[in-house]
Every structure is written in C-alpha cells, then in structure tokens.
Amino acid sequence: MLDVIIVGAGPAGLSAALMLGRCRRYVLVCDSGQPRNASSRAVHNFLTRDGISPKEFRQIGRDQLQPYTNVELRATTVTEAVREGNSFAVKLADNSIHTARSLLLATGLIDTLPNIEGFSQFFGAGVYSCPYCDAWELRDQPLAVFGQGAAGEALALQLLQWSRDIVLCTNGPSQLDAREIAFLTHHEIRICEEPIARLEGFDQQLERIVFADGSVLPRRALFLQTKPQRRVELLEKLGLKMPERYQQPIAPGVFMAGDVYQTRWVSGAVADGAELGVLINKELQKEDLTRSYRSFKEE
Ligand SMILES: Cc1cc2nc3c(=O)[nH]c(=O)nc-3n(C[C@H](O)[C@H](O)[C@H](O)COP(=O)(O)OP(=O)(O)OC[C@H]3O[C@@H](n4cnc5c(N)ncnc54)[C@H](O)[C@@H]3O)c2cc1C
C-alpha cells in the first residue's frame, strides 16, 4: 500500500510530492492535465521564475521529482475515491485501483466565465482575472473592466494603479448609485452599459469589444472577476463537504492543498503543498509510532 495518493500535479500537488518524496514516503501523483492557468502565457510573481510559461513551470516541477524513485507521476484522471477502513482506494481512468494510507486533493479550481462569445477564447490572452498577475505588461494601455455594482467599481478603481484609460463595461444596467458613478467619473473611468455582443481579436490576442448596438471599443485587455468553482468531485465521492473553517485534515487521512482549498497564487499553492507534505508526513509518523509503541508495551 502507498503512503499517499496526490490528486493533481499543479504547483500545490508537485510541491507536496517533493516534500513527501524527501520524507521517503511512497507517493502516487495523478494529473488530468487541466491546470487552472492552462490558457495563460506566463506565470508572474513567482520569485526566480517571473515570466516563465505555466507549462515549463510544471515540467521543471516534474523533472525535479525524477530522482525520487519513491514518487510516481501518472498522467491520468482519478475517477473514484472511497474510504476502506483506515485507508483509501482510488480508481484511475484505466480502471486500475490503487490504495494509500492518505489522500491529498490538490485538484485546483475552474474559472467560470460569462457566456459571451470571445471570453473563453481570449481568457489568459487579453481577458484576465488578476491584475497582480497580468496588469504590469498592460500598463498605460486602454483597458476594460467587466462587472456590475460594487464589484465592478472596485476592480475598475483598482486598475487605476496600472492605467488611466479604463472603461467599465457593465453589460446592462450598471447597478451603481449616483455617488459611485460620480466617483468613477472623477477618475475619468467611463461607464458603458450597452450589452456586449462579442470580443474580437487577432492571433489569440484581444483587440476590441463589439457591443449589441454595433459600436466597437478598441481595448488591449479586459479584466473581470471570474466565478471560481472548486474541483471537489472526489471530496463529494468520499461523502465529505468543504469545511466551513480551515481544518486539516478535512477528515481522518484526507487533506486538501492549493487553489481548491484556500490559495489563489502559484507561490501560495507551492507553499501550501509543502506545508501539507510536512503535515501528512507527521500524521503518518504519529500512526506508525503509536502502533510501534503499542506492540513495544505488549512485549
Ligand atoms: C489566466 C490565469 C493566469 C494566472 N496567472 C498567474 C500568475 O501569473 N501568477 C500566479 O501566481 N498565479 C496565477 N494564476 C493562478 C494559478 O494558476 C493558480 O493559483 C495555481 O495554478 C494553483 O495551483 P494548484 O496546484 O492549486 O491548481 P492547478 O494548477 O489548477 O492544478 C490542479 C491540477 O489538478 C488536476 N486534477 C483535477 N482533478 C483531477 C482528477 N480527478 N484527477 C487527476 N487530476 C486532477 C488538474 O488537471 C490540474 O492539473 C493564474 C490563473 C489564471 C486562470
């Protein structure tokens, strides 16, 4: 039986695998190849790797696990997970079954986008959710913000740090009161309530927003708040729910790391994975020492 099965080989899962590998734990890491930032061209704000492509970042992570022969990486989906007494059984896409003493879910999340033509196509290449990740490259450029009410207003004001040419596109009624509108106007942020028909661009790069009335707004990029959906299918298959407050393990032997649980950054996910690696190792060691102490007393 394995010590740990890690579901997800993004920054969180790979970081946990490195820590556990160095603890001489027997680990299986499975990944279905759909990382959150798959559409992004570059990872920013990760010291020593600023600007690296997400693909290369993960490849370096996988390469650095090579010397740890006690860690196996598989490109596959974990389709089922069940508790069997004090251990867990998981089923992979090829129907093979693997058992482990503990389970780390590092499955990430999915950003749900508005159902408007072009949003998915340009996500990560002109449509962004995080100014801290992507706005520096777009400094002083014409930008749009997609959003309504206080959330749209806050994001538009936040982006002033990077550009003074901002249009808030509310895709219908702005849901802003007179004071909010006056404050945005004071900062020369234009509000456009016309519904968006589609986003257009060239060579995977956003160039303009086309509105329902046929008008066109040239923009280098559009920022929005996505609706994040945690990938908790396996947690539910184990009969568990997301805890209301931070707790690890989520249930005996079940741990979560990275964006699926609490982080929103590559650096945060890496740190979280490392912390969880230590925690899982300590829990396993506690079990081993308790068992050995019991048999020692019985001798
Ligand atoms: C467009 C965009 C740009 C971004 N830019 C930056 C940036 O510049 N800097 C930054 O710090 N952060 C950035 N982020 C955020 C960053 O992508 C995440 O914080 C980070 O990827 C979280 O790592 P993770 O390991 O938790 O999840 P992920 O990287 O999403 O990895 C989760 C993995 O789990 C796998 N998985 C899920 N379910 C299963 C299953 N059942 N079986 C097997 N595998 C499974 C998935 O395939 C995936 O590979 C960006 C996000 C987006 C959307």
Side-chain angles (χ1 to χ4, degrees):
M1 185 187 307
L2 293 156
D3 289 314
V4 190
I5 292 174
I6 300 177
V7 189
L14 288 172
S15 172
L18 180 60
M19 186 65 80
L20 287 160
R22 293 183 57 79
C23 295
R24 309 189 72 186
R25 294 293 174 189
Y26 288 92
V27 182
L28 172 64
V29 190
C30 300
D31 191 79
S32 55
Q34 298 156 324
R36 183 180 172 203
N37 58 356
S39 62
S40 169
R41 291 175 184 168
V43 173
H44 291 289
N45 285 318
F46 192 95
L47 194 64
T48 76
R49 302 277 176 211
D50 190 41
I52 193 172
S53 83
K55 204 171 162 194
E56 192 186 349
F57 184 89
R58 286 191 302 276
Q59 188 56 51
I60 293 171
R62 288 195 293 265
D63 290 348
Q64 293 199 336
L65 286 171
Q66 289 279 328
Y68 304 95
T69 50
N70 45 324
V71 177
E72 186 189 351
L73 282 164
R74 286 203 194 189
T76 185
T77 303
V78 177
T79 56
E80 300 286 342
V82 287
R83 182 185 289 281
E84 288 181 343
N86 288 333
S87 61
F88 300 90
V90 303
K91 194 196 250 189
L92 308 187
D94 64 2
N95 283 331
S96 61
I97 309 272
H98 302 261
T99 55
R101 295 168 65 190
S102 44
L103 205 53
L104 174 62
L105 304 177
T107 44
L109 55 78
I110 293 171
D111 293 278
T112 312
L113 296 165
N115 188 17
I116 301 173
E117 187 183 332
F119 273 75
S120 300
Q121 182 192 341
F122 293 111
F123 190 50
V127 174
Y128 305 101
S129 56
C130 169
Y132 293 96
C133 300
D134 294 299
W136 195 87
E137 281 67 28
L138 297 157
R139 61 199 181 281
D140 302 325
Q141 298 291 312
L143 305 179
V145 167
F146 179 93
Q148 302 81 25
E153 183 201 14
L155 185 54
L157 292 170
Q158 190 187 3
L159 274 162
L160 287 171
Q161 185 62 28
W162 289 276
S163 174
R164 309 302 292 184
D165 181 358
I166 294 168
V167 179
L168 173 58
C169 299
T170 58
N171 197 40
S174 71
Q175 296 166 31
L176 295 166
D177 63 26
R179 262 177 80 94
E180 291 165 327
I181 292 171
F183 194 56
L184 289 167
T185 310
H186 171 73
H187 286 287
E188 295 179 29
I189 295 174
R190 192 150 66 82
I191 301 164
C192 176
E193 293 189 315
E194 185 63 27
I196 296 177
R198 63 185 174 280
L199 304 181
E200 286 184 353
F202 177 72
D203 193 22
Q204 289 299 304
Q205 181 56 56
L206 175 72
E207 289 182 345
R208 66 192 81 84
I209 301 170
V210 181
F211 294 95
D213 64 2
S215 59
V216 171
L217 177 70
R219 294 284 103 178
R220 275 278 282 122
L222 177 148
F223 283 82
L224 81 168
Q225 267 185 358
T226 59
K227 289 199 184 86
Q229 235 183 299
R230 297 170 200 266
R231 305 183 73 171
V232 289
E233 303 89 342
L234 293 174
L235 192 72
E236 288 165 2
K237 288 192 176 191
L238 288 161
L240 300 170
K241 283 193 185 142
M242 282 296 294
E244 280 170 20
R245 272 176 280 123
Y246 184 85
Q247 72 177 55
Q248 297 278 9
I250 306 297
V254 183
F255 302 80
M256 290 174 91
D259 278 20
V260 68
Y261 197 42
Q262 59 163 0
T263 65
R264 292 293 178 267
W265 304 92
V266 171
S267 53
V270 167
D272 204 31
E275 294 279 358
L276 266 293
V278 170
L279 184 65
I280 292 170
N281 182 58
K282 282 184 177 172
E283 293 282 320
L284 292 173
Q285 211 166 21
K286 215 179 343 177
E287 273 176 34
D288 292 340
L289 291 175
T290 307
R291 201 174 307 121
S292 116
Y293 186 64
R294 266 196 218 118
S295 57
F296 166 75
K297 274 207 314 189
E298 280 161 16
E299 273 172 18

